[in-house]
Every structure is written in C-alpha cells, then in structure tokens.
Amino acid sequence: MRVLLVTSSARGHALADALNRSPQKPDIISVCANNNPGIRALASEMHVQDIMDFGKIVEIAKKAAPDFAVIGPDDPIGSGLADVLEELGLPSVAPKKELARIESSKGFARNLLSKYGIDALPRFRVFESRKNSFRALAEEQKMYTFIDQDLRGEYVVKYDALKGGKGVKVSGEHLKNIDDGVRYAIDCMKDCGRVVIEEKLAGVEFSLLSFVSGKRVIDMPAVQDHKRAYDGDTGPNTGGMGTYTDADHSLPFLSPLDLARASEINKLTAEALMNECKEPYKGILYGGFMAVNDGVKVIEYNARFGDPEALNILPLLASDFVSICQAIIAGNLSDDIVMFEKKATVCKYIVPKSYPEKKDEKGMEVIFPEKLPENTRIFYGDVGEDEDGQLHLGGSRTAGIVGIGKTIAEAEKLAQNLCSKVRGPVRFRSDIGTDELIGKRAAVMKELRSK
Ligand code: AMP
Ligand code: GLY
C-alpha cells in the first residue's frame, strides 16, 4: 500500500501519523512545502517542494505509483489537483475542482445552499463586478441599500475566493462604517469579480467535519477553534491558535438538537453538491457553523481537514484511516469503519512571538522536550530541521501540542504543561480549553437563547 500525501503543515503531520497507524502500514510518499521533521520521520519518500507545482507532483506520482492520494491544504484542492491526478488514474481523498468550489467560492456555496433549500444561511447577496460604469454605480447603490436597510448596518464582507481566512471583514470590528464596507466590497470585486455581503450573526462558532463519499456522510467529533491571536480572544485573526473536542463528541455549549442540525446540514450539502455537479464529493467536508439564538447557521464550508481541527480529531481515530480513505474512494463508506475514542482533546499552537503580524523570529532555534508525556502529541508545522538536528522557526504556526484526557480539563492540563516546556522565542494561548473560557462561551449561548 502506497499513499501520496500532499501537505504543508501540522495538519500534514497529523495526516501522516493517522496513515502510519494503519495496520496496512502504507508507504507514505510525501510532497511537502517544507522539510517538516514530523512528516519526514514517517515518510518513506520526502519531496520538499512547491505543492502548487502540479507538473512536479505528477512526475513524483508517476514514479512512485501510489494507490491513492491524500491532499491536505485548500490551495491545491481548490486549483484542481484531484482532477490532474485522476487523469493519471490516481484517485484522491479530496474533491475535484468543481466540487471544491464549496470552499473556493463563497458565492457558489451560498447559491448552492439556497438553490437546494437548505435553510441555514445568514441573509446574503452576491454582487458582481460590472464593466459598464453606469451598471457599476447601480451595483454600488444596491450594496448601500442592502447593508443599510436590509441588514441595518450589521454585516460581513467576504472576498469570493481562497484567501486563508483573511478575506473576511466584519462590521464594528474591521469596518467602521458603511462607506468602509462598500469600499472594501468594491476592492474585492475588482480583485476577483464577485463579493459576498451577509448578515453579521451573534453566536458561538464551532466546526463539524465529515467524511464524505457522495451521499454517504459520517461525522467526526465537533471542534471549537480559537482564531484570535491572544488570550481572552483578543488581537488579530490567525489560522487558528488552538482547539478542543469533548469526550461525547459534542461541545459543552451545544444542545443535542444543535449538533443533529449541523450534521443534517452537512448531509444535505453533500447531497446538493452531488446533484449540482453530477459527481460524488469524495473527501472531507468541513462545516463552519455558528450556534445562534434560534438554532444553527452556516458561516463557511471548507473542502478539507481543518488546521488545527485535524490535530484533535485524527489522534482520536480508533479505526483504520487507510480503510476509510479506500471506502471514500470506492463509494462504500459505512459507520462501522469509522470509530473515534470517547475522549476529550485540547490543542494549543506554539507560534513565533510576533505571529501573525511579523516574522521577526524566522530562522531562530526552538527546542521541544525530547520525551513526550503519556497522552500528549506534538504535530510539527512551519518548522525546519538543519543538518545537526536543530529545529528552526518558520514565520507561521510552529507546532500543535495536543493533550488527550477523559475530560477537557484533563486534556488542557496536559497540553498546557507540555507547551510551557518548549524553549525559544515562541508563545501560545494559555486560556484555550480552560473552564473559564468554555464557561464564557456557555454563558454567551445561554444569554442569547434566554431572549
Ligand atoms: P469565514 O472565512 O467565512 O469563516 O470567516 C472568518 C471569520 O469571520 C469567522 O470565523 C467568523 O469569526 C467571522 N464571520 C464570518 N461570517 C460571519 C457572519 N455571518 N457573522 C459573524 N461573523 C462572521
Ligand atoms: N481552523 C480553520 C481552518 O482550518 O480553516
């Protein structure tokens, strides 16, 4: 069994680890954007190179003759790497380009859910760039009216293409007034032709990821991410500073009805994708949800594992990841081959001190404890290893440290202790997974639903 793994980050290390734990003991042919020490230790071939260079990936695939490919990040998935590999006869655990528009175009995702009557969206409109200046002015006027009158000034503007979570601006946070919002929307349209403007929701965010093969959809444990850079949910947005899951595979602030609804929305969306694109979606469908006063709403869809979400979810996988990949590809995915341990996890990301604003620490040394305590994991991200075996910081997130326990509190302590032993110009969020922060989320939910 040989698997081509195209990745870049700590999510890639977690995927390599899940593949490596398979009783089928696959050879991992890694194509990785950096010399990731975690992936290198597990791979039988390590190709460090640009993961958007599809020509090179095809060359590697032809030589290595893998049985299937797993593609981690959004960029190669959104640009159609699964289509290119399929032409070689190599199936992928990742959707093809047309289906991956569920992530790569926010306009497509919203229009799809609307068309198939999946009633879970904030109020939205997609605006298109117009060449004719009279029409452009009319479109701008429509934006003002939509924001001011329909959304009463509470809105979000979303760039309609992949931008690593950085294309979204929220009123009251990044956009001070309606002029700001319209200006940003026009910039987005100039850049990529379309922009989404939608209602700003009040609620608590969570992720529900599912394995999908056409209409067969099997959920993973629900996860909560923390996007803000600093403790107390302050500072700029990041790729995600840490995450947790609970032993019951739900989250402390969700009702059973909320989780069941998010699960139903993922199923309906997979079905809608199949009907719309006349082709089964094969891969991971990642629903980004917000629990609001009267239920659950969709704020984004991704066509891949989340990072850090994968770092929590994959270590809990008790069944064979290779068999799951094979079943996704063959179209015979079933509940009995997907099992997760009933344990809680907390992941905290170690990041360079100046992340995400600057890259001042790039190249500096970072030292991790040699012996890992039981029930902990380290997944390496943007960190390279030199010839002497020293690890050096890249500019992005360094490593996800995961604690696994019977409760979130137990998992949090394990992750926190291990994080505090990492040496170098790095930091992490101490509050992720603590009773205090989780209590705050539960209080927000209670307050919203008591009205
Ligand atoms: P996205 O890339 O669509 O997930 O957006 C990035 C972040 O913007 C989300 O994690 C939310 O914190 C925020 N956001 C996105 N859409 C909304 C919305 N409709 N209402 C409130 N916040 C939002
Ligand atoms: N955790 C956010 C993402 O992977 O997009």
Side-chain angles (χ1 to χ4, degrees), residues 259-320:
L259 190 63
R261 176 66 181 145
S263 173
E264 184 186 30
I265 296 169
N266 277 4
K267 281 196 180 69
L268 292 170
T269 300
E271 223 173 278
L273 277 164
M274 178 128 169
N275 292 333
E276 183 68 13
C277 302
K278 310 278 176 269
E279 168 145 49
Y281 184 105
K282 293 185 173 187
I284 312 303
L285 186 65
Y286 165 150
F289 295 100
M290 198 174 282
V292 295
N293 63 341
D294 58 350
V296 165
K297 298 266 189 206
V298 171
I299 57 171
E300 67 169 333
Y301 261 110
N302 294 324
R304 54 175 170 82
F305 266 112
D307 186 351
E309 285 88 343
L311 282 55
N312 302 76
I313 291 170
L314 288 169
L316 292 179
L317 188 63
S319 49
D320 177 4

Side-chain angles (χ1 to χ4, degrees), residues 353-364:
K353 271 201 170 130
S354 67
Y355 172 82
E357 279 120 335
K358 289 188 275 173
K359 299 188 175 190
D360 290 347
E361 300 79 14
K362 197 167 175 182
M364 291 184 189

Side-chain angles (χ1 to χ4, degrees), residues 127-130 160 187-195:
F127 294 91
E128 308 262 348
S129 122
R130 308 277 176 199
D160 194 27
D187 285 349
C188 291
M189 279 197 310
K190 278 193 186 137
D191 217 49
C192 73
R194 302 204 303 181
V195 66

Side-chain angles (χ1 to χ4, degrees), residues 106 122 156 158 165 168 170 198-201 205 227 290 299-300:
K106 290 177 190 291
V156 181
K158 300 187 166 187
V168 175
V170 180
E198 73 185 21
E199 172 191 1
K200 176 180 171 183
L201 298 170
E205 283 177 60
K227 292 213 165 116
M290 198 174 282
I299 57 171
E300 67 169 333

